[in-house]
């Protein structure tokens, strides 16, 4: 019954209301009127929330729910009519009792709800007894979708020796089922492979370090994470993702010489800058964490030098000053290697350096005799007779003082006609009288040989 019908009825009641002494007497004299209020009884549709379960296969219609008007006296005088999304096809209604049925398989992921309208019609007048009402049939989810990892494959890097609990990365799976109903889309993550080095938070998929690991022992791990829906209940689906976890290097290893003692040699003839040999320290770290510098400690640093080969990380020992076999035949030097970059976190584990001893022997070279003077000045009186002494030159063999030396004059023949030298003792004599007016001086070149 609508509002206009109720208002007309109320007016009719007022007009037909009987007189009473308090309102109007029979002679028609008016007194103050008095009314008794008539209250409208609220009427409407009555039904429970309506749901239809997806993915149901049935040869007969499946009951969804019932619509009912509170004006229905269940005497067959009302007829229920259904319109809107899916009415007459997906959904049907029993016009006698308002029961709704679904006739087709539904897919919540394609359409989660349907909006329909209902009418209650008086069969006699074919007029609605209630205003048309709109309602929704929700499609109830079933677990028909597997979890999926959409961002894989996963690759992550974490520093070696990271403490337990350090976050490595996060994996996320999605599920097409309804997250607001049941457990079909509620996922739990677990570790299939990767124990005891890693762990995963069940609800978030965050992977964490479960123990400290050394890159020098193993630098890469394959971790398999499972995402499972239904919180472990029957009929659950699952999916897995592989996460490649690389351990990045930190400087947690000192350099170490391959040998505690090295032997090398250098010729006394070697010029300054000559490479004498190489030393090498191993470092288990990589990159800049393995970079190192070499040093020579002690007094020998003024004779020898050491430089670092940046590509091979070898220490190259060079001659800084000429050596002399006859003066010193053996050197013992101490070489030190130090990491170029130090991680303060590991200083307490000891110095990031190492030392070794290098023994260098000086090799003797067959050196020519050496004159006691580079230049000799000698005088002789002109006209001196043949055989007169001019002077003496002296040379010695640096390798052996007892080694005999032979002397010769190497200038032209005219000098040999004027002078001669004793090949054994270096005594020079004039072989004929000399005339100062012809030549006041003479240059003589003498060689000494072993």
């Amino acid at each position: 019954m609508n509002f206009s019908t109720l208002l007309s009825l109320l007016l009719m009641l007022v007009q037909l209301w009987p007189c009473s002494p308090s309102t109007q007497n029979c002679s028609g004299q008016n007194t103050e009127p008095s009314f008794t209020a008539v209250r409208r009884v609220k009427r409407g549709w009555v039904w429970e929330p309506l749901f239809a379960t997806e993915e149901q296969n049935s040869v007969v219609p499946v009951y969804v729910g019932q619509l009912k008007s509170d004006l229905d006296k269940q005497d067959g005088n009302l007829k229920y009519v259904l319109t809107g999304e899916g009415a007459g096809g997906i959904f049907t209604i029993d016009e006698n009792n308002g029961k709704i049925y679904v006739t087709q398989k539904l897919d919540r992921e394609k359409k989660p709800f349907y909006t329909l309208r209902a009418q209650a019609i008086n069969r006699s007048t074919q007029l609605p007894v209630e205003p048309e009402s709109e309602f929704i049939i929700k499609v109830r989810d079933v677990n028909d979708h597997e979890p999926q990892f959409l961002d894989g494959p996963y690759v992550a890097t974490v520093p070696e020796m990271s403490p337990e609990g350090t976050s490595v990365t996060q994996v996320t799976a999605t599920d097409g089922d309804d997250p607001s109903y049941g457990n079909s889309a509620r996922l739990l993550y677990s570790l299939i492979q990767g124990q005891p080095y890693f762990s995963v938070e069940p609800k978030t998929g965050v992977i964490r370090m479960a123990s400290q690991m050394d890159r020098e022992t193993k630098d890469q791990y394959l971790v398999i994470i499972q995402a499972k829906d239904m919180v472990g209940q029957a009929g659950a689906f699952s999916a897995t993702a592989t996460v490649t976890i690389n351990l990045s290097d930190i400087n947690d290893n000192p350099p170490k010489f391959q040998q505690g003692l090295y032997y090398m040699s250098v010729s006394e003839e070697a010029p300054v800058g000559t490479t004498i040999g190489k030393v090498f320290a191993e470092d288990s770290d990589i990159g800049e964490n393995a970079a190192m510098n070499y040093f020579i400690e002690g007094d020998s640093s003024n004779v020898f030098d050491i430089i670092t080969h940046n590509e091979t990380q070898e220490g190259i020992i060079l001659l800084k000053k000429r050596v002399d076999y006859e003066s010193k035949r053996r050197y013992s030097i101490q070489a030190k290697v130090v990491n170029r970059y130090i991680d303060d976190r590991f200083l307490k584990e000891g110095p990031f350096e190492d030392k070794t001893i290098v023994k260098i022997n000086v090799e003797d070279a067959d050196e020519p005799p050496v004159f006691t003077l580079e230049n000799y000045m000698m005088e002789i009186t002109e006209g001196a007779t043949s055989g007169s002494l001019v002077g003496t030159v002296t040379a010695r063999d640096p390798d052996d003082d007892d080694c005999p030396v032979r002397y010769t004059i190497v200038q032209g023949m005219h000098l040999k006609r004027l002078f001669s030298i004793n090949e054994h003792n270096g005594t020079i004599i004039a072989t004929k009288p000399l005339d100062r007016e012809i030549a006041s001086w003479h240059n003589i070149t003498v060689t000494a040989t072993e």
Side-chain angles (χ1 to χ4, degrees):
M1 180 181 299
N2 55 35
F3 179 74
S4 59
T5 303
L6 180 62
L7 182 59
S8 299
L9 181 59
L10 182 59
L11 291 175
M12 292 176 60
L13 290 173
V14 171
Q15 293 174 358
L16 300 175
W17 200 266
C19 358
S20 68
S22 62
T23 59
Q24 184 181 23
N25 57 31
C26 296
S27 62
Q29 295 178 341
N30 290 329
T31 62
E32 183 180 354
S34 176
F35 300 97
T36 301
V38 179
R39 300 181 61 188
R40 176 181 181 271
V41 179
K42 184 178 178 182
R43 302 187 180 276
W45 292 98
V46 180
W47 65 77
E48 297 294 329
L50 301 180
F51 296 93
T53 303
E54 68 168 333
E55 304 297 340
Q56 284 188 318
N57 288 311
S58 177
V59 295
V60 296
V62 178
Y63 175 73
V64 174
Q66 184 178 17
L67 304 178
K68 185 179 180 182
S69 170
D70 58 4
L71 295 178
D72 190 353
K73 306 302 183 180
Q74 296 185 1
D75 56 4
N77 193 39
L78 290 185
K79 177 176 71 173
Y80 293 93
V81 178
L82 189 67
T83 59
E85 294 180 326
I90 299 175
F91 301 100
T92 61
I93 190 169
D94 187 325
E95 65 177 22
N96 296 313
N97 55 28
K99 291 183 178 180
I100 299 175
Y101 300 87
V102 60
T103 62
Q104 300 178 18
K105 185 172 73 171
L106 305 179
D107 187 348
R108 188 201 66 83
E109 286 69 41
K110 291 182 178 179
K111 190 170 181 59
F113 63 88
Y114 293 82
T115 302
L116 297 104
R117 294 179 299 278
Q119 281 186 318
I121 306 294
N122 187 300
R123 292 181 183 273
S124 300
T125 65
Q126 295 299 309
L127 295 176
V129 298
E130 292 274 15
E132 184 180 62
S133 179
E134 184 174 273
F135 65 96
I136 292 175
I137 296 178
K138 292 184 178 181
V139 181
R140 182 168 286 166
D141 185 52
V142 298
N143 189 24
D144 59 341
H145 285 80
E146 297 180 358
Q148 289 184 311
F149 289 95
L150 301 179
D151 298 328
Y154 294 88
V155 179
T157 301
V158 63
E160 64 171 329
M161 306 304 293
S162 294
E164 182 178 344
T166 299
S167 175
V168 179
T169 188
Q170 183 177 20
V171 296
T172 303
T174 60
D175 194 305
D177 293 314
D178 187 357
S180 64
Y181 175 74
N183 296 321
S184 298
R186 188 176 301 174
L187 302 179
L188 286 181
Y189 299 92
S190 60
L191 201 65
I192 302 299
Q193 177 179 306
Q195 302 94 340
Y197 309 108
F198 301 95
S199 64
V200 63
E201 293 181 356
K203 295 183 179 180
T204 65
V206 174
I207 300 174
R208 298 187 180 276
M209 302 287 284
S211 63
Q212 286 190 323
M213 287 175 286
D214 187 3
R215 186 202 64 84
E216 287 72 39
T217 302
K218 187 176 180 180
D219 62 356
Q220 188 178 84
Y221 294 81
L222 293 180
V223 176
I224 299 178
I225 303 296
Q226 182 189 71
K228 196 170 186 178
D229 61 18
M230 295 293 287
V231 197
Q233 299 175 6
F237 292 114
S238 64
T240 59
T242 300
V243 185
T244 302
I245 301 177
N246 297 305
L247 297 183
S248 60
D249 186 58
I250 62 174
N251 191 11
D252 59 340
N253 291 278
K256 182 72 175 177
F257 279 108
Q258 288 183 324
Q259 299 173 215
L261 182 62
Y262 290 83
Y263 291 96
M264 300 178 185
S265 61
V266 59
S267 172
E268 62 178 338
E269 289 184 318
V272 171
T274 298
T275 298
I276 299 173
K278 299 177 181 179
V279 295
F280 182 64
E282 291 180 314
D283 193 314
S284 299
D285 298 314
I286 59 175
E288 68 175 21
N289 293 325
M292 59 191 77
N293 291 325
Y294 294 88
F295 304 92
I296 289 178
E297 296 187 321
D299 297 336
S300 298
S301 60
N302 64 340
V303 181
F304 303 98
D305 195 10
I306 188 169
I307 62 173
T308 304
H309 193 294
N310 288 328
E311 292 184 4
T312 64
Q313 293 297 301
E314 294 174 309
I316 302 173
I317 298 177
L318 305 175
L319 185 63
K320 191 175 181 180
K321 180 180 177 181
R322 290 286 295 267
V323 292
D324 183 16
Y325 174 81
E326 286 70 35
S327 299
K328 189 172 183 179
R329 301 183 179 184
R330 185 175 293 106
Y331 292 85
S332 180
I333 66 174
Q334 182 170 266
K336 182 173 76 171
V337 63
V338 180
N339 265 148
R340 193 173 300 167
Y341 306 101
I342 305 297
D343 192 328
D344 295 339
R345 293 176 295 175
F346 298 96
L347 286 177
K348 63 182 180 180
E349 298 182 7
F352 275 59
E353 62 182 48
D354 195 25
K355 297 180 180 180
T356 189
I357 300 297
V358 182
K359 293 187 178 294
I360 302 175
N361 292 322
V362 180
E363 295 178 340
D364 185 29
D366 188 11
E367 300 173 273
V370 178
F371 285 98
T372 55
L373 297 174
E374 291 185 2
N375 297 289
Y376 290 86
M377 297 294 294
M378 300 177 183
E379 293 183 355
I380 187 174
T381 305
E382 69 173 334
T385 60
S386 176
S388 297
L389 177 65
V390 178
T392 303
V393 295
T394 303
R396 69 176 186 84
D397 188 346
D399 300 321
D400 187 356
D401 290 337
D402 296 330
C403 179
V405 177
R406 298 293 183 264
Y407 302 94
T408 57
I409 294 175
V410 295
Q411 290 291 1
M413 291 301 297
H414 71 286
L415 288 177
K416 288 187 177 181
R417 289 194 293 267
L418 298 176
F419 304 96
S420 68
I421 188 170
N422 187 310
E423 67 174 351
H424 298 291
N425 58 24
T427 300
I428 301 173
I429 61 173
T431 57
K432 60 183 299 186
L434 303 176
D435 186 351
R436 192 193 66 81
E437 283 70 33
I438 296 175
S440 61
W441 53 273
H442 301 275
N443 281 333
I444 303 173
T445 300
V446 177
T447 61
T449 58
E450 298 177 10

